[in-house]
Amino acid sequence: MQVASASRCPPSTRMEVLRGLRSAFPIMLGFIPFGLVLGAQARMRGFALFEVPMMTGLNFGGGSEFAAVGLWTSPPHILLIVGVTFLVNSRHLLMGAALAPYLRAVPRNKMLFCLFFMCDETWALSLTDARKTGFSLPYYMSVSLCLYMSWVIGTAIGAVAGPIMGDVSRYGFDMAFPAVFFVLLRGMWKGMASALPWGVSLGVAVAAYMVLPKGWYVPLGALSGAAVAWVQARS
């Protein structure tokens, strides 16, 4: 009876933090080279050294940061950059909605603080884990803070090394981010039925990227995939 009772004990915070660290570590390795690319590109666009980690620390959205750096001019077109940043980050609306059912037990003040650190990878890892064992706040924050620190540090290193190394994307560092996403998709795979929303989202995103202004492919791809998933769920 004692053994059975012990087996039902919830995992300790320390165990959950360590579990989050193990989950985040491979992605942290992928963040660093991609951060080097962003940091180097930002410096080439005229960012000061301290401005690069400040941007990535306050925004923490790799896609929107690459878009902002790509649109950066002197003087910058602030409204254009803000608009594109909003479009690229609008996928977080759907990500937050998908995670919301698992956050009902989290106090609102803690939840809002935690959601600041949500990125694509944190969301994917935490959602997959929550579907299996229930949402774990220590696990989520462990993953989030590990990825946050690696991203900010990686972009800061890129800002320092960029003027010395030049265009670091020629070394193939920018391939790390797509590789990370493929690994995350594998972890969320549920069978061929789940591939249809992904395929539609990919097709719409590619088409929007080819014919529409920069940034629109992100929300359109996300919304089209969500619409197909909703239709599937109702049928």
Side-chain angles (χ1 to χ4, degrees):
M1 292 296 293
Q2 291 180 346
V3 174
S5 176
S7 65
R8 291 195 297 268
C9 291
S12 67
T13 299
R14 180 175 178 274
M15 291 174 58
E16 289 296 276
V17 169
L18 291 176
R19 192 166 65 89
L21 177 59
R22 287 193 297 268
S23 298
F25 184 72
I27 301 176
M28 291 170 62
L29 297 180
F31 266 26
I32 293 175
F34 204 59
L36 293 176
V37 175
L38 178 61
Q41 289 183 355
R43 289 301 304 279
M44 292 172 65
R45 287 281 183 167
F47 279 61
L49 178 60
F50 77 93
E51 291 173 340
V52 177
M54 185 174 69
M55 175 185 70
T56 56
L58 293 176
N59 181 59
F60 193 41
S64 61
E65 289 160 1
F66 271 98
V69 169
L71 294 171
W72 195 265
T73 56
S74 184
H77 300 287
I78 299 297
L79 291 179
L80 174 63
I81 293 174
V82 170
V84 170
T85 298
F86 175 80
L87 285 175
V88 175
N89 284 343
S90 63
R91 69 193 187 280
H92 286 247
L93 297 173
L94 296 175
M95 291 160 56
L99 197 59
Y102 302 98
L103 299 176
R104 291 171 181 166
V106 181
R108 185 177 296 272
N109 59 335
K110 289 185 179 181
M111 179 179 66
L112 295 177
F113 171 78
C114 295
L115 288 177
F116 170 80
F117 297 98
M118 184 181 72
C119 63
D120 302 87
E121 295 76 14
T122 301
W123 171 81
L125 289 174
S126 298
L127 184 61
T128 302
D129 185 71
R131 287 171 174 171
K132 295 177 180 178
T133 62
F135 182 77
S136 169
L137 186 58
Y139 173 85
Y140 171 88
M141 286 306 301
S142 177
V143 171
S144 299
L145 292 176
C146 286
L147 298 185
Y148 178 83
M149 293 303 298
S150 64
W151 180 244
V152 175
I153 292 172
T155 55
I157 294 173
V160 173
I164 301 172
M165 301 176 64
D167 184 10
V168 297
S169 62
R170 62 182 175 177
Y171 301 109
F173 289 164
D174 50 342
M175 289 301 297
F177 218 49
V180 167
F181 272 102
F182 280 120
V183 173
L184 293 175
L185 289 176
R186 177 63 184 88
M188 302 184 72
W189 178 259
K190 293 183 178 179
M192 288 302 298
S194 65
L196 181 59
W198 296 358
V200 171
S201 179
L202 175 62
V204 171
V206 170
Y209 180 83
M210 298 294 292
V211 301
L212 294 177
K214 182 178 291 188
W216 279 103
Y217 65 94
V218 176
L220 291 178
L223 288 172
S224 61
V228 172
W230 180 76
V231 171
Q232 283 184 322
R234 290 180 60 88
S235 60

